[in-house]
Amino acid sequence: MSHVRLDGLVKAYGGSVAVNRINLDIEEGEFLVLLGPSGCGKTTTLRCIAGLEDITDGQILIDGQPVSTSTLTTPPEQRQMGMVFQSYAVWPHMSVAENLAFGLKLQKLPKIEIEKRITEVLDLVGLGSFAERGIHELSGGQQQRVALARAVVLRPRVLLFDEPLSNLDAQLREHMRFELRQLQQRLGITAIYVTHDQQEAMVVADRIVLMNKGRIEQIGTPRQLYRQPETLFAAGFIGLANSLSGAVIEASETTTVRIGAGVPLTSLQTGFEIGANVKLIVRPEEVRVGFDDEDGPNRFRGTLKECVFLGNIADITVMVGQTLFRAQISPARDWTVGEQVTLSIDPSAVTLIPAI
Amino acid sequence: MSARSTSVPSWLLTALVFGVAILPLLFVIDAAFYRETRVGLATDRSWVAVIDVFTGADYLRYLRNALGLAGIVTAVSLVVGVGIALILGRSDIGHKRVWDALITLPLYLSPFAGLMAWIALASPKTGFINTIIDAMAAVFIHEPGSIVDIWTFAGVVFVMTLFFCPLVYLFTVGSLRGMNTALEEAARIGGATPLTTIMRITLPMCLPSIVASALLVFILGAEMYTIPGIIGSNAGFTTLPWRIFEDSTSVPVHRAHAAAAGTLLLLVTVLGVWLQGRATRVSAKFVTLGGKGFNGRPLRLGRWRWAAWGLLASYVLAADILPFGALLMSSLMKFSAGTISAEVLTFKHYLGFFTSEEMQIALLNTVFLAVVTGVICMALGFMISHMALRNPTRLNRALAFLAVLPVAVPGLVYGLGLVWTFLRTPLYGTIWVLLFAYVAKFLPYGVIVSRTGLMQVHPELAESARMCGATARTALAKITAPLVKSTLAAVLFFVMLNAIKELSASVLLYSQDSEVLSVLTWHYMDSGDYQFAAAIGFIQTFIMLAVVFAAQRLFRVRLDRAFGHGGGR
Amino acid sequence: MRLTRTLLAAAASLFLASSAQAALTPDEAKLYEAAKQEGTLTWYVGAPLEGMQAIAKVFQEKYPGVNIQMMRMVGVAQYQRFMDETGAKKYIADVLQNTDYPSMQSLVDDGHILENKVPTSDRIPPQFRIGNFAYSQYTSTNGIVYNVNKLTPDEVKLLEADWKNVLDPRFKGRFSVSPMKCGVCYAPFHMFMDPKFKDRYGADFIRKIAAQKPAVYSEVLVTLDRVVAGEQDFTISGWEASAATKWIDGAPIRWIFPHPTPIFGNSWLGVSKYAPHPNAAKFFLDWLMSDDGQETMQRVYGSQGTLQGIKDDRPYTKESWYHAPVELYQVDWKRWDADYHKDMDFLAKSLKAEQ
């Protein structure tokens, strides 16, 4: 269990900056996810933490000890970290047990201890009877578990995951997420996990660091990131969002924004001046659709434009004035395109972001 | 891996490569800018040679001839070599190991010996093939005529192709055997015919290996002077390497011209290496050794079995049985003859070989140089490729590029550069000069071949070892090197074979204590004693077989599995 | 086993040595002593290795204590290596043997060869030596080499009469020629291009040879080999010494000397001015040019020595078919040096034009 700290981390390749001044504290035993689109710098950040890349500026500290600075790189083998790679990177010329024993032998542990640990960890990942198997006899999911076991068996201070599930099929992926999380909880180990899959991130993470173009976009619990996105990018990347823009027309205990041609939308958020341009985020599941004629705040009449039946929910699009709203309604019912409907949004579900 | 921890070896290696491989090249380039005298170079500078070679119609025509020839030879070798590789790597044909050994056998023959064999076989009037066919045809037809004639352009292409096919074959079959067949199966399930699958899936997957072998064949073909030179003059065309040979060996010597022409070939190769870099960059995503891989069901040949069998058999006949037979026959004859009779047969060449002390010394020197050169080129080539691929700093990439350059320059010219380099060192006149020369000359193969192997090993395999507590060196030794073991073995074999055959630099650098077999063979050849030379050539083949056999046992790898893939299974 | 052999060899050489030493003059004996002090010498060999090895073997048996290290380097390549080594002050060679006269001439002119008057020098004609510096070991005579199974006696007679008869229509496509740039290849063409033969041969003759569509081989020894095999009926790029080695092996070939016959001094020997073993070198060269050395060369190598008044026991000279050349044509080294490249280029171009 260790505490990892990134202090103004910069990683540049020639002229292009992959990671741009990142500050981050990872608490002991925390499961932190670096989330973002490809090329956002999340894998580079992870590789810097692992010591596989030199850093250009700033520093990385583990338990207060600097391991990477612009002039010094503690090599990866001295960092006591475990890492699970995207390609599994299990060694095809060794058996399962040999893969696991590799690092233990380097630590010069007694043979009995090595065997004990291997058995223990293989049981932990559910490969108890596979020790002597060759790598080529294993399925993709099993190879993934070997990679995980190999990282864990060394009892590392920090466990690093580089998109470990992206090569697995959808079902297995979903299953493994929970397993990974359980395992980390059981071992109580600090984990840093890179993924581009926001669902995966939400399942495993204590905290998510959302990255974009080499910078941190937002840090927070999965709930915070979903509920209170601080940027349009955050809102768009995590979950679905109706992303609107308009100007503030009233600011008191609540803030009202006029969007498009006259639709006024009220939010409980405050702190905006009248006339200010803002962006509005409304999650589709927060948009309610009915047939009553009552008036009230955030209630509009509109026309049903589109409806997609998804089984447990219906994904529908409603046109209010010139503005399109997307709504997800559960349970699904039969909708008719062209129907007149009433659309309502709870002001607490309207997130405002100052437009730049 | 941290750049900071590898920069020292980078600089050391760069210094070594510069001193051993690049300095001779610079001497060669420098020599192009001197005025020539009848017997050598004057002390004053001149542009004459460079202008003659780079702008004169003659030299550019010779270059065109050389490149055209190399192009045709490469194309034919690719078709035949890849075809054989597909049959032996993918189909259900039987006796694969036997075929495999026979297909690679020409690697154990020096091209000059092969040429002499084919001259004995297919000269229009006295070639064994023609005399035998004539004898048979005389029963039916009165007018005997020559069926085959080696003294033609087609003859040059034919003999060269026989020598280069095994290279293409080895590279391709290695890659085929290391490949994940799931992709092929996916294509078949998707409705593709076997032929479409091969053309659209299988071959593109082997592309890095095929490109590497094509580049090697092209460069070797463009720089070869023996076969095009000896036959070409009779067929009426001259290639640049032969002109370089004439310029540097016959009076009046045109040393500056030879050097300038060597530089010209160097530029062509730089282009080729650059193109290979581009071609393999495109295919860099084809990392086939990620951890998965199953050997699928072989392709059923069905009624094509006889066609496949016919292709293999004709190649074996043309490349093994006939030339080795002719060579053996020559080595047992007192002098060249079109028909064999008791009075021309003798065993004296073999007796002469085994009783001569000089031969025994040459034999020892040859084996020593081959093994040491092989090991050094394997280790350095692997390190250089590894650094360039895994830690592609500007220095490391430059190093990999520089180390490949000597492949371009014909041995004759490069040998002179080596002479000029080593003349001023205390090593001159010792066997160590030959060792340095061999390393410089064959390091390019080490770099090119291990690059192909390393590209098929995912970098994360070594990184995961680092994360398990291994130092960079341990990860290299315990993970990456074992995974490319067979590629390393391929480098070792290839370099050893070529070191045993090496002549053009040896003949310039040998001294009385460091005589090698190839030089001795050359002396007999050069004195017109082709029969004794044939005997030495035959013995040389056995030595090569023995050396490779020993190495295979030592490494527990098979040569056919070695080239062009990194699978350590 | 090995020890016994060495002992036997030592005993044998002792016996031989005492008999040979008896023939040495006091000066020679002194030189031999000094040579033995040096113990060894390095000989840069330009002629075919096997013959020279045989000669060196005879010398070493006669004069134990002087070991000969042979390094074969041919023609101008030897010149260059020697010059490169000299430039770098790496003095390795003691005795040089170069088959290219102009190379040796340059070495003498530029002062790289030690002045060394061999005891027999007054019996060596001036065209076979360069002052008292370098000496030609043997002569090369050009002729037509033919396969006995391929030419009729009439055809042999016809060819022997005059070089011009190769132009006879019956020989079209039956012979070979090599435009290789080497001394023996050039010698006949050097003669054909001699201004004094302008009307007899000249450029026109060479063009007509090309029009006979001979087989062209870039390597002159392949030319000989193809006649031995019977692939070609005869070659005009032939010379006695190389044909003789094949004839001794039993090859079905003979040679004739059409008139006039080009002859030139070959195998130019000299002692390097920087010889690390000057006494051994001088002693060896003296022997090579002595009666014994020359006769040994004739016996084991088969070329005719340049020393006048020696026994000629070359085996083929007793054959009935062998006719020694009658009318000799001595090459002109000055014109040789000046026209070599031009003449050979003209030959190559003429041959190519007809292909």
Side-chain angles (χ1 to χ4, degrees):
Chain A
M1 274 218 286
S2 286
H3 168 255
V4 180
R5 179 166 174 186
L6 311 186
D7 208 353
L9 174 67
V10 176
K11 173 68 189 176
Y13 296 98
S16 68
V17 181
V19 177
N20 197 352
R21 305 223 165 276
I22 285 202
N23 295 303
L24 193 59
D25 268 301
I26 300 141
E27 302 301 331
E28 292 190 5
E30 186 182 17
F31 201 126
L32 183 98
V33 170
L34 298 175
L35 175 69
S38 63
C40 72
K42 57 189 190 302
T43 293
T44 308
T45 306
L46 190 76
R47 289 173 61 84
C48 289
I49 296 171
L52 294 169
E53 305 277 350
D54 297 329
I55 69 171
T56 312
D57 200 9
Q59 57 177 349
I60 299 173
L61 301 105
I62 299 178
D63 295 336
Q65 294 293 317
V67 291
S68 289
T69 68
S70 59
T71 54
L72 169 145
T73 306
T74 304
E77 62 270 21
Q78 290 168 21
R79 296 190 178 201
Q80 295 174 327
M81 293 179 168
M83 185 160 173
V84 180
F85 290 86
Q86 185 175 11
S87 69
Y88 320 148
V90 287
W91 303 308
H93 59 309
M94 297 181 184
S95 71
V96 171
E98 283 167 348
N99 262 276
L100 267 60
F102 181 82
L104 298 171
K105 280 185 189 158
L106 288 174
Q107 290 183 2
K108 302 210 163 39
L109 292 180
K111 212 172 165 200
I112 299 181
E113 169 74 9
I114 292 179
E115 276 170 24
K116 203 185 102 205
R117 281 227 220 160
I118 290 175
T119 318
E120 216 174 82
V121 173
L122 282 181
D123 283 341
L124 194 66
V125 297
L127 287 176
S129 56
F130 287 77
E132 297 314 315
R133 294 280 183 95
I135 293 303
H136 293 282
E137 300 167 54
L138 303 184
S139 71
Q142 288 166 333
Q143 292 188 16
Q144 183 59 67
R145 283 161 204 258
V146 175
L148 179 63
R150 188 179 61 188
V152 167
V153 77
L154 293 166
R155 301 189 180 153
R157 296 196 286 179
V158 182
L159 205 46
L160 307 175
F161 297 92
D162 183 12
E163 309 222 11
L165 305 181
S166 61
N167 278 341
L168 299 179
D169 64 53
Q171 269 191 323
L172 199 54
R173 199 155 57 214
E174 220 154 289
H175 177 72
M176 285 294 288
R177 284 173 195 163
F178 290 101
E179 267 196 37
L180 281 179
R181 173 69 186 174
Q182 278 177 358
L183 189 80
Q184 185 264 347
Q185 293 286 303
R186 220 178 316 159
L187 299 171
I189 207 168
T190 311
I192 306 172
Y193 187 108
V194 161
T195 183
H196 64 271
D197 182 334
Q198 45 108 358
Q199 276 193 11
E200 201 169 297
M202 312 225 24
V203 172
V204 296
D206 290 324
R207 258 194 322 160
I208 293 175
V209 176
L210 181 66
M211 291 183 67
N212 185 30
K213 293 177 182 160
R215 293 175 186 275
I216 294 179
E217 200 77 26
Q218 189 174 349
I219 305 179
T221 62
R223 185 175 298 270
Q224 281 171 332
L225 250 74
Y226 191 79
R227 289 280 175 204
Q228 293 133 30
E230 285 166 10
T231 63
L232 216 52
F233 174 83
F237 194 80
I238 298 176
L240 296 168
N242 287 294
S243 170
L244 309 159
S245 56
V248 177
I249 50 169
E250 191 210 314
S252 52
E253 279 121 62
T254 60
T255 309
T256 304
V257 182
R258 187 199 299 278
I259 35 172
V263 183
L265 205 55
T266 304
S267 167
L268 293 185
Q269 259 176 279
T270 54
F272 295 91
E273 284 175 26
I274 292 180
N277 285 322
V278 292
K279 300 278 182 188
L280 304 90
I281 304 295
V282 181
R283 299 285 177 193
E285 69 271 18
E286 302 287 352
V287 179
R288 284 175 230 293
V289 181
F291 296 96
D292 54 278
D293 287 340
E294 282 173 48
D295 278 337
N298 293 355
R299 292 181 76 88
F300 317 104
R301 306 280 300 160
T303 316
L304 190 75
K305 281 298 198 192
E306 219 179 298
C307 171
V308 180
F309 177 71
L310 294 172
N312 58 339
I313 55 165
D315 195 322
I316 65 176
T317 309
V318 178
M319 171 93 95
V320 179
Q322 297 299 310
T323 310
L324 286 174
F325 282 90
R326 186 170 171 192
Q328 286 187 334
I329 312 294
S330 175
R333 54 153 285 201
D334 285 335
W335 303 84
T336 316
V337 172
E339 267 183 302
Q340 290 295 305
V341 292
T342 306
L343 197 145
S344 64
I345 300 164
D346 193 302
S348 69
V350 179
T351 306
L352 298 184
I353 298 166
I356 310 146
Chain B
M1 257 150 261
S2 155
R4 274 156 267 201
S5 62
T6 52
S7 57
V8 174
S10 291
W11 281 111
L12 269 177
L13 267 178
T14 308
L16 185 76
V17 165
F18 186 83
V20 174
I22 300 304
L23 207 56
L25 283 184
L26 295 181
F27 273 118
V28 167
I29 296 170
D30 177 62
F33 296 91
Y34 280 96
R35 191 171 59 80
E36 287 167 340
T37 66
R38 184 185 166 282
V39 281
L41 297 177
T43 48
D44 47 332
R45 298 267 173 188
S46 161
W47 285 88
V48 169
V50 177
I51 291 169
D52 258 14
V53 171
F54 281 79
T55 63
D58 276 358
Y59 280 88
L60 292 179
R61 194 178 66 241
Y62 302 145
L63 176 68
R64 217 166 38 237
N65 286 350
L67 297 184
L69 177 66
I72 294 171
V73 168
T74 307
V76 181
S77 302
L78 277 181
V79 171
V80 179
V82 171
I84 293 174
L86 282 172
I87 294 172
L88 291 182
R90 274 289 176 272
S91 82
D92 61 345
I93 200 157
H95 308 295
K96 279 188 186 158
R97 294 191 73 150
V98 179
W99 282 122
D100 194 276
L102 290 172
I103 299 297
T104 49
L105 202 56
L107 287 177
Y108 303 89
L109 192 62
S110 79
F112 199 87
L115 170 67
M116 294 317 292
W118 267 100
I119 288 177
L121 282 165
S123 282
K125 289 181 208 160
T126 55
F128 294 133
I129 296 176
N130 287 318
T131 52
I132 289 168
I133 291 178
D134 276 356
M136 291 192 298
V139 183
F140 309 104
I141 316 158
H142 291 292
E143 190 86 6
S146 49
I147 309 293
V148 286
D149 183 0
I150 202 70
W151 297 95
T152 56
F153 181 78
V156 178
V157 173
F158 174 75
V159 178
M160 285 174 77
T161 302
L162 292 182
F163 279 101
F164 291 135
C165 276
L167 265 187
V168 178
Y169 163 74
L170 279 175
F171 271 80
T172 313
V173 85
S175 186
L176 276 174
R177 285 175 180 158
M179 206 174 89
N180 183 357
T181 51
L183 287 154
E184 287 182 354
E185 280 153 14
R188 293 297 299 281
I189 291 161
T193 63
L195 191 67
T196 317
T197 309
I198 285 169
M199 301 305 289
R200 304 284 295 274
I201 307 290
T202 316
L203 291 183
M205 291 274 298
C206 307
L207 208 59
S209 298
I210 294 178
V211 169
S213 69
L215 178 74
L216 267 186
V217 169
F218 187 82
I219 291 173
L220 291 173
E223 96 72 90
M224 177 175 270
Y225 68 93
T226 46
I227 297 176
I230 301 280
I231 305 185
S233 62
N234 198 271
F237 75 98
T238 306
T239 63
L240 192 61
W242 180 253
R243 182 57 194 252
I244 291 174
F245 175 77
E246 287 190 321
D247 276 349
S248 48
T249 56
S250 54
V251 186
V253 178
H254 296 291
R255 245 193 195 186
H257 281 79
T263 310
L264 186 60
L265 273 178
L266 176 70
L267 292 179
V268 171
T269 309
V270 169
L271 192 72
V273 172
W274 181 74
L275 284 175
Q276 189 218 11
R278 300 263 314 189
T280 44
R281 195 172 315 150
V282 173
S283 53
K285 38 186 183 292
F286 296 168
V287 176
T288 50
L289 194 77
K292 292 172 279 187
F294 308 94
N295 267 329
R297 241 175 349 132
L299 203 67
R300 298 268 293 275
L301 280 171
R303 60 204 165 89
W304 291 98
R305 176 172 309 274
W306 291 107
W309 203 89
L311 174 68
L312 296 181
S314 6
Y315 179 81
V316 168
L317 183 72
D320 298 336
I321 298 173
L322 289 176
F324 277 103
L327 198 64
L328 180 65
M329 208 110 82
S330 284
S331 72
L332 293 171
M333 286 161 85
K334 290 181 190 146
F335 46 82
S336 301
T339 48
I340 298 111
S341 56
E343 62 256 38
V344 301
L345 290 176
T346 175
F347 215 66
K348 69 170 183 179
H349 305 306
Y350 289 98
L351 290 175
F353 181 89
F354 288 110
T355 52
S356 156
E357 199 176 326
E358 190 188 22
M359 291 291 174
Q360 287 158 15
I361 293 171
L363 181 63
L364 279 179
N365 283 340
T366 301
V367 172
F368 168 78
L369 282 171
V371 172
V372 178
T373 308
V375 171
I376 293 180
C377 288
M378 173 179 74
L380 288 186
F382 173 67
M383 278 165 72
I384 290 172
S385 276
H386 186 267
M387 280 155 55
L389 280 172
R390 299 292 192 256
N391 186 19
T393 60
R394 210 166 281 173
L395 177 68
N396 288 349
R397 276 181 302 159
L399 175 62
F401 180 73
L402 290 179
V404 170
L405 283 186
V407 82
V409 184
L412 281 161
V413 181
Y414 190 59
L416 281 178
L418 287 164
V419 171
W420 294 325
T421 307
F422 287 110
L423 209 51
R424 278 159 187 83
T425 70
L427 294 176
Y428 184 80
T430 67
I431 194 166
W432 304 110
V433 173
L434 285 184
L435 182 65
F436 275 109
Y438 284 15
V439 167
K441 211 179 153 182
F442 299 123
L443 186 57
Y445 303 123
V447 175
I448 293 174
V449 177
S450 51
R451 181 188 169 83
T452 343
L454 276 170
M455 275 187 16
Q456 298 183 349
V457 175
H458 202 295
E460 288 183 352
L461 288 162
E463 286 172 354
S464 62
R466 297 296 299 278
M467 298 311 298
C468 286
T471 60
R473 200 172 300 166
T474 310
L476 198 62
K478 291 270 173 69
I479 304 296
T480 311
L483 284 174
V484 294
K485 184 172 87 168
S486 38
T487 301
L488 295 181
V491 174
L492 186 69
F493 298 148
F494 190 68
V495 171
M496 283 196 303
L497 293 188
N498 282 287
I500 291 173
K501 292 189 277 190
E502 208 294 326
L503 173 67
S504 48
S506 316
V507 85
L508 289 171
L509 288 165
Y510 87 99
S511 59
Q512 58 258 43
D513 302 323
S514 61
E515 194 129 27
V516 290
L517 274 188
S518 58
V519 172
L520 273 185
T521 318
W522 172 252
H523 287 328
Y524 289 102
M525 207 98 94
D526 194 39
S527 312
D529 199 344
Y530 298 121
Q531 285 68 41
F532 196 44
I536 306 181
F538 211 70
I539 292 165
Q540 222 176 11
T541 300
F542 274 99
I543 294 163
M544 287 191 240
L545 283 169
V547 166
V548 167
F549 182 74
Q552 294 202 29
R553 294 299 292 264
L554 203 67
F555 278 75
R556 295 200 198 85
V557 226
R558 281 170 50 197
L559 186 53
D560 61 301
R561 302 253 159 162
F563 281 80
H565 100 103
R569 275 169 291 151
Chain C
M1 183 63 204
R2 201 185 159 88
L3 184 70
T4 348
R5 223 190 305 164
T6 321
L7 281 173
L8 276 172
S13 56
L14 249 168
F15 169 74
L16 279 168
S18 53
S19 64
Q21 267 167 349
L24 292 178
T25 66
D27 277 357
E28 286 167 343
K30 221 169 93 191
L31 191 57
Y32 178 34
E33 275 314 306
K36 274 200 285 193
Q37 287 295 309
E38 290 163 357
T40 183
L41 71 97
T42 302
W43 186 18
Y44 280 10
V45 174
L49 195 59
E50 224 177 346
M52 297 306 121
Q53 278 171 335
I55 294 170
K57 201 171 151 224
V58 172
F59 173 81
Q60 287 177 97
E61 279 167 4
K62 278 202 172 139
Y63 302 104
V66 184
N67 178 34
I68 300 179
Q69 305 266 13
M70 299 172 70
M71 299 246 314
R72 184 154 192 269
M73 276 171 279
V74 182
V76 74
Q78 183 189 112
Y79 171 88
Q80 286 170 347
R81 179 144 170 183
F82 176 76
M83 289 306 288
D84 283 340
E85 287 173 352
T86 303
K89 298 196 164 45
K90 287 268 189 305
Y91 303 128
I92 297 165
D94 292 302
V95 178
L96 302 173
Q97 177 199 43
N98 204 312
T99 48
D100 181 48
Y101 168 82
S103 289
M104 187 53 86
Q105 180 74 60
S106 301
L107 290 177
V108 172
D109 289 350
D110 299 342
H112 298 299
I113 300 297
L114 195 73
E115 180 158 18
N116 173 41
K117 190 171 173 175
V118 299
T120 49
S121 67
D122 47 354
R123 282 160 59 207
I124 303 168
Q127 71 265 31
F128 297 135
R129 56 194 173 96
I130 305 172
N132 288 326
F133 292 90
Y135 305 89
S136 162
Q137 190 183 9
Y138 52 79
T139 62
S140 284
T141 39
N142 285 88
I144 285 175
V145 181
Y146 65 95
N147 189 303
V148 288
N149 304 317
K150 299 289 179 176
L151 288 188
T152 65
D154 284 350
E155 287 173 337
V156 173
K157 233 174 234 134
L158 186 65
L159 286 171
E160 200 168 13
D162 196 318
W163 289 97
K164 266 199 157 160
N165 292 340
V166 300
L167 301 181
D168 190 290
R170 78 177 86 179
F171 296 128
K172 189 161 187 167
R174 288 176 61 190
F175 65 95
S176 63
V177 60
S178 176
M180 185 175 166
K181 282 178 184 149
C182 70
V184 283
C185 306
Y186 176 54
F189 294 96
H190 172 74
M191 181 180 78
F192 299 148
M193 295 302 277
D194 190 329
K196 81 176 175 203
F197 289 133
K198 204 169 142 246
D199 299 327
R200 190 165 168 188
Y201 304 114
D204 194 43
F205 179 60
I206 291 174
R207 273 192 289 264
K208 281 179 180 158
I209 289 177
Q212 284 285 68
K213 300 211 181 293
V216 179
Y217 298 105
S218 54
E219 165 64 56
V220 68
L221 288 160
V222 175
T223 314
L224 175 68
D225 182 72
R226 295 294 85 200
V227 174
V228 171
E231 180 75 24
Q232 303 297 333
D233 297 354
F234 65 95
T235 178
I236 57 170
S237 294
W239 74 103
E240 186 169 82
S242 69
T245 33
K246 295 288 174 192
W247 179 84
I248 291 167
D249 281 341
I253 54 163
R254 289 170 187 169
W255 55 101
I256 47 178
F257 298 108
H259 319 295
T261 304
I263 182 170
F264 65 99
N266 205 337
S267 172
W268 291 86
L269 295 160
V271 174
S272 162
K273 199 172 204 169
Y274 325 101
H277 314 101
N279 294 307
K282 273 193 237 172
F283 184 65
F284 179 52
L285 184 59
D286 285 357
W287 178 78
L288 283 176
M289 296 312 295
S290 70
D291 289 77
D292 186 27
Q294 287 274 292
E295 280 165 15
T296 302
M297 185 277 300
Q298 289 193 153
R299 197 173 60 249
V300 302
Y301 183 63
S303 277
Q304 185 162 27
T306 52
L307 186 65
Q308 302 300 298
I310 50 169
K311 267 202 314 247
D312 187 356
D313 50 4
R314 289 173 293 157
Y316 46 83
T317 51
K318 288 155 201 81
E319 296 289 321
S320 62
W321 55 264
Y322 185 80
H323 307 293
V326 184
E327 185 192 343
L328 289 173
Y329 171 85
Q330 297 285 353
V331 304
D332 169 1
W333 289 124
K334 249 197 205 98
R335 191 168 59 80
W336 177 293
D337 201 8
D339 291 354
Y340 187 109
H341 190 43
K342 188 177 59 132
D343 291 351
M344 287 309 269
D345 270 358
F346 175 68
L347 171 66
K349 285 214 170 80
S350 309
L351 290 169
K352 198 157 249 177
E354 289 291 339
Q355 264 174 358

